[in-house]
């Protein structure tokens, strides 16, 4: 037992290290600190900026005309056509509020190191436009404004926010959040007329006024972007902006020194979500006008945009200027060529300063050439940057000549492009080296686990034979490992590497030391080869390899899970089980085919269908009744004991069934109806929902630990919570999955019988709380590899089977409306995470049952699962890419994180499921002859 716990702890530690390595390899912050501040020497054309961000506003929702040819935002439309410059701002994944505002106000894309941090704040300090102003006044959401106030030096950023409770998806009209902002701004300028000190501050240069408007986003989540609430909110914002501009211009006496920018942090899908890379999420409107901004520019030639938006929006006659964050968009500037040249030059020097800092942080040595194959190319790049900089310096003085201006701008853009390329190189400088270390550790760990399985859980021929057992002397092996450790440590010291690098690079040493110590096990395997069914082993190897590849592909194409389930459905027919258990084989086939329908359902875009949730509840009641009746017939107890037993069981299960009925037929439907009528979330529904959630892990512990009754209790309590978190067809997933798991348990009994395993225990007599007889624990067989693969396959199916958890942008806030409607990303995220975990627990409890029923050591089965998971993780490690779109890069990284998290998660979840199945709480202790 001690050895097993030690092995599990070491395995957990190793996987935690492998998991954390991804943060040093791919999730390091790209931000650079310590640069010399750069500023344009010429006077700016504007004294103040008014920044209006309409949270969640899609580009097409603003620019598309109504059927009658008018605009739902007439003021902003007039700005586009007469006195401003417009375009589409191309945001990046993740399209969420925090990273979107950071990109707008701080000038950089989402800091990937934020993935392990909170939703509200950036993990590292950063500079922003607000921090460089004389004064900044902000009005809006309490989730966004404090983030920029906290990072600002001094106390010149003033925030005015409404209470967080106002962000209620069930409110009668979320546009009141925007009305609150406009009202507060109006009161602010009114008070400034009588407040001399405030008025003096407002009349100074370098001031920013930031209006964060959350109403559109909230209405989009609650009612969808095509709803009247969402579209009407756009009209309200347009009217508010028109009044704001008039008020600001009157206050400053129409001095022509105010610049205005209207944009959005992200868009929104048709189903009311955002977070991923759909064009409806990444394309946001950008309208700028006022001091220093170009007027509307009419064009007659065809513009270089192939997306068809210009024709759809009836804007093909006006110049469109799209932007990406990071490079100065000169076409927006209304100023002299000299000013433009100086501005782009400052931009170039600013980027070059970042490159210099990044380069100085990497102290290159001769040894590092081994791991940087493109080093000499970037030495050439550095020389090119120096030459470009010198050429620009030569052109700085005569910028009043048109040819010099265009040449300088061209050189500056080239300098920016090459400097950004160099920044990327030094940012990924250690990636190849660390990747090699992690892969070496992966292979060493997997090899060691395989050797442990062969040594302790397989019948290998260990008798002396003609083949001499090969063993490496332990003292020579220890000396070799010490030498390797010294070399690696010396290399890292020369490189001045962080402490975590020592962990990643030195971890493979003890792992491979353990592998080489078990070299005798390989000799035993070779000696046992003649007695093994080689063709059967080869067949299993091919099938498992194909199965692992199928699971890997399923991360990219969910329909592959359907292919896998169809293949699994014919397993009883190919293995000969159909002849011995026709009903169970047919049940297995039907269960696999029913479950195969779920991966084919759309990931996103479904409308809520509470009727399907009700149907799922009725299906749960029906299957539970059949399940309970079937187990009652197979329970071998005396008549008097049986009556007492079912009296106790019925009390718990009847309560659960009634609860499920109420939840399915009343709570979700009443909640949905109440929200549609804009009456808010009923308190009774909220109490029932939170009570059910709190008791979902407690109620199973009150039932009998007999196999069928405990599994039924777990299924009912978890399904009740799952139904509360469902909005449509995904509610049918747990009943179908549970039915297939029930069939799997039964059909494995037939497989055991077909293998001729002695001492097979009847399922009805199994008690989870009984101590496992160690003498009955058997050695591994080839079929156990199949069982372990089935488990991994069903775990992946549990994760990707329902469309609402396969992608981040498929998150629907309506899923948690039975619990709360006030925006809280942490509670909402926790509820959705619990929804994801529920199918996992169902599969884990099934696997625990199969382990007990097949009389197999849980350690041996889990080791096979560990090998399969690690092979998948290693596969995804090689699929991680750092090129292409941000979405492609992020997706490839997330796949590795998911598989690595799954391995660690299953280790911890196995403990939870063991407690859930075997432990029992007694509210009273009746005198009975059974557990």
């Amino acid at each position: 037992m001690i050895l097993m716990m030690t092995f599990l702890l070491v395995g957990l530690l190793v996987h935690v290290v492998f998991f954390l390595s991804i943060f040093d390899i791919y999730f390091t912050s790209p931000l650079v600190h310590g640069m010399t501040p750069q500023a344009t020497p010429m006077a700016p054309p504007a004294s103040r900026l008014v920044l209006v961000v309409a949270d969640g506003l899609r580009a097409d929702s603003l620019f598309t005309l109504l059927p009658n040819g008018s605009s739902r935002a007439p003021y902003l439309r007039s700005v586009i056509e007469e006195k401003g410059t417009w375009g589409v701002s191309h945001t990046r994944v993740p399209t969420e509020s925090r990273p979107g505002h950071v990109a707008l106000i701080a000038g950089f894309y989402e800091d990937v190191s934020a993935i392990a941090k909170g939703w509200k704040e950036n993990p590292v300090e950063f500079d922003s436009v607000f921090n460089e102003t004389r004064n900044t006044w902000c009005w809006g959401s309490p989730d966004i404004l404090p983030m920029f106030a906290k990072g600002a030096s001094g106390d010149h950023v003033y925030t005015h926010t409404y209470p967080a409770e106002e962000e209620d998806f069930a409110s009668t009209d979320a546009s009141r959040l925007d009305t609150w902002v406009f009202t507060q701004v109006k009161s602010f300028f009114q008070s400034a007329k009588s407040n001399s000190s405030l008025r003096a501050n407002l009349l100074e240069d370098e001031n920013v006024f930031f209006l964060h408007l959350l109403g559109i986003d909230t209405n989009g989540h609650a009612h969808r972007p095509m709803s009247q609430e969402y579209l009407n909110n756009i009209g309200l914002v347009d009217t508010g902006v028109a009044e704001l501009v008039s008020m600001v211009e009157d206050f400053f006496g129409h001095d022509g020194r105010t610049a205005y920018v209207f944009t959005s942090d992200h868009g929104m899908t048709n189903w009311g979500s955002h977070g991923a890379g759909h064009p409806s999420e990444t394309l946001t409107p950008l309208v700028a006008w006022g001091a220093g901004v170009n007027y509307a520019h009419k064009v007659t030639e065809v513009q270089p945009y192939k997306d068809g938006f210009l024709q759809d929006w009836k804007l093909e006659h006006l110049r469109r200027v799209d932007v990406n964050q990071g490079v100065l968009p000169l076409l927006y500037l209304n100023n002299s060529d000299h000013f433009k040249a100086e501005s782009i030059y400052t931009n170039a020097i600013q980027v070059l300063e970042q490159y210099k800092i990044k380069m100085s942080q990497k102290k290159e040595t001769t040894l590092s050439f081994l791991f940087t194959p493109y080093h000499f190319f970037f030495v050439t790049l550095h020389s090119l940057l120096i030459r470009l900089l010198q050429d620009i310096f030569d052109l700085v003085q005569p910028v009043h000549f048109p040819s010099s201006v265009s040449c300088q701008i061209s050189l500056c853009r080239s300098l920016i492009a090459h400097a950004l390329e160099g920044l990327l190189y030094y940012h990924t400088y250690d990636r190849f080296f660390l990747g090699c270390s992690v892969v070496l550790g992966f292979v060493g760990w997997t090899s060691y686990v395989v050797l442990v399985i062969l040594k302790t859980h397989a019948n290998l021929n260990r008798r002396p034979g003609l083949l001499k057992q090969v063993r490496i002397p332990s003292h020579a092996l220890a000396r070799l490992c010490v030498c390797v450790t010294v070399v690696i440590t010396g290399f890292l010291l020369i490189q001045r590497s962080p402490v975590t690098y020592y962990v990643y690079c030195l971890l493979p040493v003890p792992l491979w030391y353990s592998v080489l110590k078990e070299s005798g096990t390989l000799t035993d395997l070779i000696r046992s080869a003649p007695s093994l069914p080689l063709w059967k082993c080869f067949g299993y190897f091919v099938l498992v390899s194909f199965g692992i590849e199928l699971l890997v592909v399923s991360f990219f194409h969910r329909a592959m899970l359907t292919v896998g389930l169809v293949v699994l459905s014919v397993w009883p027919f190919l293995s000969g089980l159909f002849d011995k258990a026709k009903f169970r084989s047919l049940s297995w086939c039907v269960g696999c085919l029913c479950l195969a329908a779920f991966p084919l359902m759309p990931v996103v875009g479904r409308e809520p269908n509470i009727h399907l949730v009700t149907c799922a509840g009725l299906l749960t009641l029906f299957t539970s009744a059949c399940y309970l009746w079937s187990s009652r017939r197979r329970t071998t107890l005396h008549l008097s004991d049986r009556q007492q037993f079912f009296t106790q069981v019925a009390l718990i299960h009847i309560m659960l069934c009634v609860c499920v009925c109420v939840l399915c037929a009343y709570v979700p439907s009443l909640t949905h109806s109440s929200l549609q009528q804009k009456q808010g979330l009923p308190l009774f529904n909220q109490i029932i929902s939170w009570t059910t959630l709190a008791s979902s892990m407690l109620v199973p512990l009150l039932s009998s630990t007999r196999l069928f009754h405990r599994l039924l209790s777990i299924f009912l309590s978890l399904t009740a919570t799952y139904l509360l978190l469902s909005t449509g067809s995904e509610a049918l997933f747990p009943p179908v999955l549970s039915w297939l798991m029930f069939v799997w348990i039964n059909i494995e009994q037939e497989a055991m019988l077909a293998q001729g395993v002695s001492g097979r225990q009847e399922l009805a007599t199994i008690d989870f709380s009984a101590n496992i007889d160690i003498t009955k624990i058997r050695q591994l067989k080839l079929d156990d590899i199949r069982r372990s693969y089935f488990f991994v396959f069903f775990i992946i199916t549990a994760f990707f089977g329902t469309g609402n958890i396969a992608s981040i942008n498929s998150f629907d806030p309506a899923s948690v409306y039975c619990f709360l409607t006030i925006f809280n990303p942490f509670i909402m995220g926790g509820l959705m995470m619990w929804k994801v975990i529920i199918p996992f627990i169902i599969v884990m409890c099934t696997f625990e049952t199969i382990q007990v029923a097949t009389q197999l050591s849980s350690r041996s089965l889990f080791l096979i699962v560990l090998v399969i998971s690690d092979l998948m993780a290693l596969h995804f490690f090689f699929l991680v890419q750092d090129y292409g779109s941000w979405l492609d890069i992020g997706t490839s990284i997330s796949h590795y994180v998911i598989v690595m998290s799954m391995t660690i998660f299953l280790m911890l979840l196995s403990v939870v499921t063991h407690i859930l199945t075997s432990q029992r709480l007694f509210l009273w202790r009746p005198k009975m002859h059974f557990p």
Side-chain angles (χ1 to χ4, degrees):
M1 184 65 182
I2 296 178
L3 290 176
M4 180 178 179
M5 291 301 299
T6 302
F7 180 84
L8 289 176
L9 289 176
V10 171
L12 181 62
L13 178 62
V14 168
H15 282 84
V16 168
V17 171
F18 288 158
F19 176 74
L20 294 179
S21 69
I22 203 72
F23 295 97
D24 275 323
I25 298 176
Y26 296 103
F27 288 143
T28 54
S29 175
L31 301 188
V32 182
H33 296 85
M35 294 85 64
T36 302
Q38 303 295 321
T40 303
M42 302 183 67
S47 298
R48 66 198 68 92
L49 167 67
V50 177
L51 173 62
V52 181
V53 177
D55 201 307
L57 177 60
R58 293 161 43 147
D60 59 340
S61 297
L62 178 69
F63 295 137
T64 302
L65 297 177
L66 297 173
N68 60 8
S70 63
S71 172
R72 62 175 55 93
Y75 176 76
L76 289 173
R77 186 78 179 192
S78 67
V79 169
I80 294 172
E81 294 179 343
E82 300 171 7
K83 56 180 180 181
T85 301
W86 76 282
V88 175
S89 180
H90 297 262
T91 64
R92 280 191 180 184
V93 179
T95 48
E96 296 172 356
S97 292
R98 191 192 69 80
H101 284 91
V102 168
L104 286 170
I105 300 169
F108 63 89
Y109 285 120
E110 168 70 339
D111 187 350
V112 291
S113 61
I115 192 171
K117 304 293 181 180
W119 181 85
K120 294 183 179 180
E121 296 180 3
N122 208 66
V124 294
E125 296 298 327
F126 61 88
D127 197 11
S128 70
V129 173
F130 295 170
N131 192 41
E132 298 298 326
T133 61
R134 188 184 305 275
N135 295 289
T136 296
W137 290 273
C138 311
W139 297 267
S141 168
D143 298 314
I144 298 301
L145 305 189
M147 174 176 58
F148 295 96
K150 178 182 177 182
S153 58
D155 56 355
H156 63 280
V157 178
Y158 308 97
T159 61
H160 307 275
T161 63
Y162 39 76
E165 292 75 17
E166 295 294 322
E167 301 177 14
D168 190 348
F169 294 126
S171 62
T172 55
D173 187 6
S175 62
R176 57 187 171 79
L177 299 177
D178 299 342
T179 303
W180 183 94
V181 171
F182 288 123
T183 302
Q184 291 293 316
V185 175
K186 185 181 298 184
S187 301
F188 173 78
F189 278 99
Q190 287 290 341
S191 64
K193 294 179 179 180
S194 58
N195 187 327
S196 58
S197 61
L198 177 59
R199 179 179 176 82
N201 288 335
L202 291 177
L203 293 177
E204 291 182 319
D205 291 342
E206 301 177 6
N207 286 334
V208 170
F209 306 93
F210 173 42
L211 284 70
H212 176 243
L213 308 175
L214 189 61
I216 294 176
D217 182 77
T218 306
N219 273 320
H221 286 310
H223 307 290
R224 307 294 187 267
M226 301 305 168
S227 64
Q228 284 303 312
E229 290 85 356
Y230 183 91
L231 299 177
N232 292 340
N233 203 153
I234 297 176
L236 182 146
V237 167
D238 181 75
T239 303
V241 171
E243 295 176 353
L244 170 71
V245 172
S246 176
M247 179 179 57
V248 171
E249 292 297 325
D250 289 342
F251 183 87
F252 292 104
H254 298 272
D255 61 356
R257 298 284 295 174
T258 306
Y260 301 90
V261 175
F262 179 88
T263 186
S264 176
D265 56 339
H266 57 73
M268 187 171 292
T269 60
N270 290 339
W271 48 93
S273 67
H274 55 84
H278 193 273
S280 61
E281 302 168 84
T282 60
L283 302 181
T284 58
L286 176 60
V287 183
W289 69 100
V293 182
N294 266 328
Y295 289 98
H297 183 77
K298 298 186 182 297
V299 294
T300 56
E301 67 276 6
V302 178
Q303 301 191 56
Y305 298 102
K306 306 298 183 183
D307 47 30
F309 292 147
L310 289 170
Q311 293 74 24
D312 295 340
W313 300 336
K314 304 294 188 288
L315 289 170
E316 59 267 29
H317 63 290
L318 295 171
R319 182 173 62 183
R320 167 182 166 187
V321 184
D322 286 11
V323 299
N324 294 284
Q325 284 82 359
V327 181
L328 183 66
L330 293 180
L331 290 178
Y332 275 85
L333 300 183
N334 180 21
N335 215 308
S336 65
D337 290 341
H338 187 184
F339 181 87
K340 293 179 181 179
E342 289 286 0
S343 298
I344 193 68
Y345 172 71
T346 303
N347 190 188
I349 297 300
Q350 189 177 44
V351 176
L352 186 62
E353 285 292 326
Q354 297 181 53
Y355 170 78
K356 291 179 179 178
I357 295 294
K358 202 75 172 180
M359 182 182 62
S360 65
Q361 290 174 351
K362 297 297 180 182
K363 302 295 184 180
E364 299 187 288
T365 66
T366 305
L367 292 176
S368 66
F369 294 165
L370 299 172
F371 305 100
T372 54
Y374 303 106
H375 169 75
F376 293 104
F377 169 75
F378 281 96
V379 169
T380 306
L381 170 65
H382 181 66
S383 301
L384 176 62
L385 290 176
I386 299 301
R387 285 202 307 274
L388 284 172
L389 187 61
Q390 185 61 51
D391 292 339
I392 296 171
F393 272 130
D394 294 339
L395 291 169
V396 168
Q397 299 303 323
V399 291
H400 54 278
F401 297 111
S403 58
S404 299
V405 170
S406 60
C407 184
Q408 179 178 340
I409 291 175
S410 176
L411 287 173
C412 285
R413 286 175 172 167
S414 179
L415 177 64
I416 291 173
H418 287 299
L420 291 175
E421 189 178 4
L423 271 172
L424 177 63
Y425 165 71
Y426 283 113
H427 180 62
T428 60
Y429 185 78
D430 296 323
R431 185 169 295 179
F432 183 78
F433 168 63
L434 292 178
C436 290
S437 300
V438 172
V439 169
L440 195 62
F442 249 123
V443 176
W445 165 256
T446 306
S447 302
Y448 177 69
V449 174
V450 171
L451 291 177
V452 170
I453 294 173
L454 293 174
K455 180 180 180 180
T456 60
H457 300 285
N459 289 318
L460 296 180
N461 184 5
R462 294 184 175 84
R463 294 175 299 175
L466 296 177
L467 183 64
K468 184 178 179 181
Q469 195 173 47
V470 179
R471 289 188 181 276
I472 302 176
S474 58
H475 62 277
L477 189 59
R479 290 174 183 172
L480 176 63
C481 291
V482 170
C483 293
V484 172
T485 301
V486 171
V487 172
I488 294 175
T489 303
F491 172 76
L492 295 176
L493 286 172
I494 295 174
Q495 292 289 105
R496 301 181 183 179
S497 301
V499 176
T500 53
Y501 284 30
Y502 290 84
V503 179
Y504 307 141
C505 298
L506 294 177
L507 181 61
V509 177
L511 292 177
W512 279 102
Y513 173 79
S514 302
V515 170
L516 295 176
K517 279 190 65 176
E518 299 296 336
S519 56
T521 305
L522 293 176
T523 306
D524 295 335
L525 178 62
I526 297 173
R527 186 184 292 118
S528 302
S531 61
L532 297 175
L534 296 181
W535 282 108
K536 189 175 181 180
C537 293
F538 178 75
Y540 263 86
F541 174 78
V542 172
L543 289 175
V544 171
S545 300
F546 170 78
I548 291 176
E549 290 300 313
L550 185 143
L551 289 178
V552 171
V553 176
S554 69
F555 275 72
F556 301 94
H557 307 284
R558 292 171 59 243
M560 292 305 297
L561 292 175
T562 299
V563 175
L565 285 166
V566 171
V567 173
L568 292 186
S569 68
V570 300
W571 163 60
F573 303 95
L574 299 178
S575 61
L577 288 175
F578 179 74
D579 298 331
K580 301 174 182 178
K582 290 183 174 57
F583 178 75
R584 292 179 178 178
S585 298
L586 289 175
S587 299
W588 169 267
C589 181
V590 172
C592 287
L593 295 179
C594 290
L595 196 65
F598 287 93
L600 295 178
M601 294 180 181
V603 177
V604 287
R606 299 172 302 184
E607 291 296 325
N609 192 333
I610 301 301
H611 299 297
L612 288 177
V613 180
T614 304
C615 292
L618 297 176
L619 177 62
T620 301
L621 291 178
F622 175 75
T623 54
S624 300
C626 296
Y627 188 78
L628 186 60
W629 177 258
S630 174
S631 62
R632 178 183 184 274
R633 295 183 58 187
R634 285 185 285 181
T635 303
T636 56
L637 294 173
H638 296 295
L639 179 60
S640 59
D641 291 342
R642 184 180 300 177
Q643 291 175 347
Q644 295 179 23
F645 176 75
F646 280 100
T647 298
Q648 181 190 16
V649 172
L651 288 175
I652 297 175
H653 288 170
I654 287 175
M655 290 169 57
L656 282 170
C657 290
V658 171
C659 183
V660 171
C661 279
V662 173
L663 291 171
C664 295
Y666 179 73
V667 175
S669 59
L670 181 59
T671 299
H672 182 72
S673 175
S674 178
L675 295 181
Q676 276 193 329
Q677 298 173 16
K678 299 183 179 180
Q679 296 177 353
L681 174 61
L683 179 61
F684 175 77
N685 296 15
Q686 198 170 14
I687 293 174
I688 289 292
S689 301
W690 284 107
T691 303
T692 304
L693 174 66
S695 61
S696 60
M697 294 295 287
L698 180 64
V699 170
L701 301 179
L702 299 176
S703 66
S704 168
T705 52
R706 293 274 181 169
L707 186 147
F708 287 115
H709 302 99
R710 176 54 66 92
L711 292 180
L712 176 60
S713 182
I714 294 172
F715 161 62
L716 284 174
S717 60
L718 293 179
T719 302
T721 304
Y722 196 92
L723 294 176
L724 286 170
L725 293 166
S726 300
T727 60
S729 59
E730 81 272 14
L732 297 166
F733 185 72
V736 176
L737 177 65
S738 299
W739 170 252
L740 182 58
M741 295 297 98
F742 171 73
V743 177
W744 185 24
I745 293 171
N746 283 273
I747 206 169
E748 286 292 356
Q749 287 291 97
E750 299 299 331
M752 291 279 291
L753 184 62
Q755 294 173 1
V757 177
S758 60
R760 186 174 65 96
Q761 190 176 4
E762 290 296 331
L763 292 176
T765 64
I766 294 178
D767 192 311
F768 283 118
S769 63
N771 294 325
I772 300 177
D773 189 352
I774 299 179
T775 61
K776 293 183 178 180
I777 297 297
R778 59 179 179 83
Q779 294 291 334
L780 282 172
K781 297 182 178 296
L782 286 176
D783 245 18
D784 297 321
I785 300 177
R786 173 191 56 76
R787 294 184 178 98
S788 300
Y789 176 78
F790 278 11
F791 169 67
V792 176
F793 182 89
F794 287 131
I795 283 291
I796 300 298
T797 303
F799 188 80
F800 287 106
T802 58
N804 71 315
I805 59 174
S807 175
I808 186 173
N809 73 331
S810 60
F811 168 68
D812 188 355
S815 299
V816 300
Y817 283 173
C818 287
F819 294 87
L820 77 164
T821 56
I822 296 174
F823 178 68
N824 189 314
F826 302 106
I827 296 179
M828 289 180 169
L831 289 172
M832 290 305 301
M833 182 60 66
W834 180 239
K835 182 179 181 181
V836 173
I837 291 175
I838 285 175
F840 284 179
I841 295 179
I842 294 175
V843 177
M844 285 293 297
C845 290
T846 303
F847 194 59
E848 175 93 0
T849 304
I850 290 175
Q851 173 260 316
V852 174
T854 57
Q855 301 170 356
L856 190 62
S857 168
S858 59
R859 181 189 179 192
S860 58
L861 275 179
F862 189 78
L863 288 178
I864 300 175
V865 171
L866 195 60
V867 171
I868 296 174
S869 301
D870 285 345
L871 290 176
M872 290 178 60
L874 184 59
H875 201 131
F876 281 120
F877 189 85
F878 285 114
L879 291 177
V880 170
Q881 63 184 57
D882 56 353
Y883 56 89
S885 69
W886 202 97
L887 178 61
D888 296 334
I889 298 171
T891 300
S892 65
I893 295 174
S894 66
H895 288 165
Y896 173 78
V897 173
I898 288 172
V899 177
M900 286 302 300
S901 301
M902 183 184 72
T903 304
I904 300 172
F905 174 70
L906 292 180
M907 287 183 179
L908 302 176
L909 194 59
S910 62
V911 179
V912 176
T913 54
H914 179 73
I915 296 174
L916 197 61
T917 54
S918 61
Q919 300 301 314
R920 185 174 180 185
L921 295 177
F922 289 94
L923 298 180
W924 66 89
R925 290 187 175 272
K927 295 182 179 179
M928 304 178 71
H929 303 289
F930 47 85

